[in-house]
Amino acid sequence: QVLATMEQLEKVSSFQEFVQIFSQFGNEMVEFAHLTGDRQNDLKDEKKKARMAASRAVLEKCTMMLLTASKTCLRHPDCESARINKDGVFHRMRLALEQVIEIVTDSRPNGENEIAPISIYSGIKEFKNKVEGLRENLYFLSKENLSTMLEVILEHTEDFTDSAYTSHEHREHILELSKQAKMELEQLVSVWMQAQNQKTKDLMEDLEVAILKTCQCMNELKREVHSAATSLAADLLKYHTDHMVLKALKITGAEGNLEAVAEYTCKLSEQKEQLVEMCRLLRHVSGTEPLEITCIHAEDTFQVTGPQIISAAETLALHPSSKIAKENLEVFCEAWESQLSDMSMLLREINDVFEGRRGEKRVYLSLPRPGKHNANLKALKPVKLDTEEQAKIAKLGLELHLLTSSVDSETEKWEDQENEIVQHGQGMSSMAYSMYLFTRGEGLLKTTQDLFHQAEIFATEGTKLASALHAFSHQVHDDDKPLLLLEAEKLISMCKQLQITAKASVQGKSATFTKVDACILKTRNVMTLLCQLLPLCCKLLRKNKAGNGCLKPAPPWREDRIRTGTNVHTPERRAETFGIKSLENHVTNMTFLESK
């Protein structure tokens, strides 16, 4: 279903048709997310589970990109860079869907066998196991077999020694240890061969010493490549935290400065190569197959997102007054920034594995600890969700995510963006998006108390929308009034229920999770009702041709729609489907909401 709808989306030629099909696509993606989430939890193979998680992450992020890339293409149909940008999103989504198919059917196209990536870490682990096995059996493998294994490991160390980003000190140490490893193996093989012919006590003691020295050398080599990879990653992540190149691309693109954009795209390409190399080196020392797969996913993300940012920046430079082109560039830049943030977490996990601090299975989602908004609340310990709880919260979060998309699409249809109904709808959608980010462990809602506080404000905004609907009911014909008032009463009731839930006092992990689950579920229900209310009001406005906020019968694509920045009830929200916005705006909005 998703593939079929994607084909329709790729071929649309009008914005109205696109909005209609994208709404269907969003519903299908929610159902697909449920199915793939269930399948991911069912999988016993941690490697497949990690691949499924990577595919689902691609599909979720690309769904955000698909909307703005397609809208930009529809707004600028003759722009080649916009077409390239859109095609890249569809291509990546298809690759992710193909990987999901491979995992759930346990097959690969054309009967190919999966070639597992070989890392230095796994190579050393297997080599040491073989060497230590000589204590029990002198005849279970050949010396050629052992020599070949070492050669493969040392070939992979060339990824470090040949890299322009490896420090001179690390390079020299790796080369020295590689040379020493060859010598230790030669000594081991010599004693081993003698022991096979004559198993004396002295020879067996010499063999034990040779085994220990060989394994120690390999441990030192592993430690050296780990240090080289992680120190490079730490330096690069620290260096690129300011996102200066992305900021420069946004500014020069908005100025229509093609020459400056070309200059900064070269710098971004250099940055991409650095980060791709970092991911390749980290894969060698990741320590587990799931983390190896995460490194490969990160490498692919940088490899693909870099050129997409460039095509989005070129489109903006060619159309500097285009607000949708500007928003599209923002979406891709935020995907880049998000991946950089994920790399910091991945680096910590790799270090934990190396230091032996992580013996449990990977946790894909955790619940933030309660905050201290109320001095009377007892400080509770951080809580960790089990797999079933993680999946439940993640599913609700994704549904909330896609509902914000539908609300944004509906508010875009209103000619007058200052209409009170639109403003309250946009504000609620913005807050719902913040709650979605919470389910991913992202955004400014860091604690459960932050979430509950946000839910209260969301409910208050919904009650204000209901008041606006009552006022609007006086403008419509008597035949239409009962339906509108009925929907408004539903909204009031649902918001009151959410207020009660958000204010309820709880303690303990189980009770906290139940409250979080209830708040997100009730927020989702309000957003579902909002998705029905907005088109209903639009229809009544068109029918009655009354007041501001009337929708024209055949609305053209409007990129220069009016935005409100003065109404304090509504946090400013970008029109992009999933409500991604700049950190500055987010901080401003949240500060205001907290003060309320």
Side-chain angles (χ1 to χ4, degrees):
Q1 288 177 347
V2 169
L3 281 166
T5 310
M6 273 178 60
E7 285 186 16
Q8 293 179 52
L9 279 173
E10 204 165 9
K11 295 173 184 175
V12 297
S13 56
S14 74
F15 178 67
Q16 277 184 308
E17 184 185 6
F18 174 79
V19 169
Q20 181 181 359
I21 298 174
F22 186 83
S23 177
Q24 175 190 339
F25 179 71
N27 292 332
E28 291 172 354
M29 283 299 290
V30 168
E31 178 62 22
F32 190 66
H34 285 194
L35 293 170
T36 53
D38 291 340
R39 187 72 187 110
Q40 181 179 314
N41 290 328
D42 292 341
L43 290 167
K44 305 302 181 188
D45 187 332
E46 285 295 306
K47 186 177 175 183
K48 286 184 178 179
K49 189 171 283 194
R51 289 180 67 215
M52 180 68 90
S55 297
R56 296 178 76 225
V58 169
L59 290 170
E60 184 179 341
K61 289 184 179 180
C62 281
T63 301
M64 294 190 286
M65 299 170 182
L66 185 143
L67 183 87
T68 51
S70 297
K71 282 162 64 176
T72 304
C73 220
L74 287 168
R75 180 64 185 87
H76 307 289
D78 299 324
C79 183
E80 179 68 9
S81 57
R83 185 192 62 77
I84 291 171
N85 184 256
K86 185 192 82 168
D87 289 349
V89 178
F90 278 97
H91 178 67
R92 194 166 188 223
M93 289 190 80
R94 285 196 176 92
L95 290 178
L97 287 166
E98 285 174 11
Q99 179 157 283
V100 170
I101 292 168
E102 289 171 20
I103 295 166
V104 298
T105 60
D106 201 21
S107 64
R108 294 182 68 80
N110 305 320
E112 301 170 9
N113 290 323
E114 182 181 356
I115 301 172
I118 300 170
S119 68
I120 292 175
Y121 189 102
S122 58
I124 288 177
K125 183 179 180 180
E126 186 180 355
F127 178 78
K128 283 173 59 185
N129 286 339
K130 297 292 187 185
V131 168
E132 291 172 339
L134 293 174
R135 294 186 177 116
E136 306 298 328
N137 188 342
L138 295 174
Y139 307 96
F140 79 105
L141 80 165
S142 66
K143 63 179 182 180
E144 289 79 17
N145 186 293
L146 213 50
S147 297
T148 300
M149 289 178 71
L150 181 62
E151 284 175 16
V152 171
I153 293 168
L154 298 184
E155 279 178 16
H156 285 311
T157 63
E158 292 174 6
D159 289 347
F160 286 82
T161 55
D162 292 347
S163 173
Y165 307 111
T166 301
S167 70
H168 176 71
E169 183 182 354
H170 281 305
R171 184 179 290 108
E172 288 300 310
H173 286 169
I174 292 169
L175 289 171
E176 287 172 11
L177 288 167
S178 298
K179 184 178 179 181
Q180 184 183 340
K182 290 178 182 177
M183 292 169 58
E184 298 294 356
L185 181 59
E186 285 178 11
Q187 179 62 26
L188 173 65
V189 169
S190 175
V191 178
W192 174 24
M193 292 300 105
Q194 292 179 52
Q196 282 184 342
N197 297 324
Q198 190 177 1
K199 201 171 182 180
T200 66
K201 182 181 178 182
D202 288 344
L203 280 174
M204 293 310 293
E205 287 178 355
D206 290 345
L207 179 63
E208 179 63 24
V209 171
I211 289 172
L212 291 172
K213 289 180 72 175
T214 302
C215 289
Q216 182 183 354
C217 181
M218 298 311 292
N219 285 339
E220 289 176 6
L221 179 61
K222 184 173 76 170
R223 188 177 295 108
E224 192 63 37
V225 292
H226 175 87
S227 176
T230 54
S231 60
L232 169 66
D235 290 344
L236 282 178
L237 292 174
K238 183 179 179 181
Y239 181 72
H240 292 308
T241 48
D242 58 4
H243 306 301
M244 288 305 295
V245 175
L246 298 183
K247 290 174 182 175
L249 278 173
K250 293 174 193 176
I251 293 169
T252 55
E255 292 172 347
N257 190 336
L258 287 165
E259 187 176 338
V261 166
E263 178 187 342
Y264 285 110
T265 55
C266 288
K267 291 184 178 180
L268 183 67
S269 295
E270 291 173 8
Q271 188 180 126
K272 181 202 75 174
E273 291 304 318
Q274 291 175 352
L275 295 170
V276 165
E277 183 78 352
M278 172 191 76
C279 294
R280 287 173 182 164
L281 298 184
L282 282 175
R283 179 178 66 78
H284 276 304
V285 301
S286 53
T288 68
E289 283 189 328
L291 289 180
E292 276 187 45
I293 290 165
T294 306
C295 289
I296 293 168
H297 165 67
E299 179 185 337
D300 290 342
T301 299
F302 286 124
Q303 197 76 269
V304 172
T305 310
Q308 287 180 315
I309 290 174
I310 290 170
S311 59
E314 288 171 350
T315 302
L316 178 58
L318 291 169
H319 307 279
S321 61
S322 172
K323 290 187 178 180
I324 181 56
K326 183 179 180 182
E327 289 167 359
N328 189 47
L329 177 58
E330 284 277 0
V331 170
F332 286 96
C333 287
E334 286 179 2
W336 182 275
E337 292 168 11
S338 174
Q339 188 58 53
L340 276 176
S341 177
D342 289 346
M343 289 308 299
S344 297
M345 186 181 299
L346 177 60
L347 181 59
R348 286 196 297 272
E349 290 189 344
I350 289 172
N351 281 325
D352 284 350
V353 168
F354 185 79
E355 299 296 337
R357 291 194 295 266
R358 204 191 78 187
E360 59 190 271
K361 291 182 179 179
R362 183 171 186 181
V363 177
Y364 292 96
L365 180 74
S366 59
L367 186 67
R369 63 180 179 273
K372 298 180 180 179
H373 290 288
N374 189 328
N376 296 323
L377 289 176
K378 293 181 180 178
L380 301 179
K381 294 180 180 179
V383 293
K384 182 175 287 185
L385 302 182
D386 59 33
T387 304
E388 187 177 344
E389 290 171 336
Q390 290 173 22
K392 189 174 183 182
I393 288 291
K395 285 178 186 178
L396 283 174
L398 184 57
E399 289 176 357
L400 207 54
H401 190 177
L402 290 167
L403 282 168
T404 60
S405 163
S406 298
V407 169
D408 287 342
S409 294
E410 290 299 333
T411 57
E412 278 190 346
K413 297 177 184 178
W414 292 65
E415 187 73 19
D416 182 3
Q417 292 292 300
E418 292 185 2
N419 185 287
E420 193 175 0
I421 295 172
V422 174
Q423 290 180 352
H424 287 306
Q426 288 173 337
M428 292 170 72
S429 187
S430 179
M431 286 182 264
Y433 182 75
S434 295
M435 295 168 78
Y436 152 70
L437 287 179
F438 173 88
T439 68
R440 292 177 54 85
E442 300 173 4
L444 294 183
L445 304 181
K446 300 297 184 185
T447 70
T448 50
Q449 285 302 317
D450 289 337
L451 178 76
F452 303 149
H453 189 58
Q454 182 76 99
E456 285 186 52
I457 299 165
F458 175 87
T460 302
E461 194 74 10
T463 304
K464 291 177 181 177
L465 173 59
S467 298
L469 292 173
H470 275 284
F472 173 58
S473 69
H474 299 305
Q475 302 175 29
V476 303
H477 294 305
D478 290 341
D479 292 345
D480 300 316
K481 189 176 293 187
L483 176 61
L484 185 60
L485 291 176
L486 179 64
E487 295 299 301
E489 288 305 313
K490 280 186 193 175
L491 181 61
I492 292 171
S493 174
M494 293 168 87
C495 288
K496 281 182 179 177
Q497 290 176 26
L498 178 56
Q499 284 272 18
I500 292 168
T501 302
K503 289 179 178 179
S505 178
V506 295
Q507 287 189 10
K509 175 192 169 182
S510 178
T512 301
F513 169 74
T514 301
K515 183 175 175 179
V516 168
D517 179 52
C519 282
I520 296 174
L521 180 63
K522 289 178 180 179
T523 301
R524 183 202 68 180
N525 293 341
V526 172
M527 288 294 288
T528 302
L529 180 62
L530 186 57
C531 287
Q532 299 165 6
L533 272 168
L534 288 170
L536 172 64
C537 292
C538 231
K539 178 183 174 182
L540 295 177
L541 275 172
R542 189 187 299 126
K543 181 178 178 181
N544 291 277
K545 299 180 185 290
N548 292 326
C550 181
L551 177 70
K552 293 181 179 177
W557 169 254
R558 289 182 59 82
E559 71 160 352
D560 54 345
R561 55 196 179 77
I562 302 169
R563 296 174 186 272
T564 174
T566 56
N567 188 304
V568 295
H569 297 116
T570 306
E572 182 174 323
R573 180 178 174 84
R574 290 203 357 238
E576 187 269 323
T577 179
F578 298 105
I580 295 181
K581 48 188 173 295
S582 68
L583 182 60
E584 292 83 3
N585 282 345
H586 199 159
V587 170
T588 302
N589 296 332
M590 289 301 298
T591 302
F592 169 75
L593 291 172
E594 291 289 342
S595 70
K596 286 183 70 181

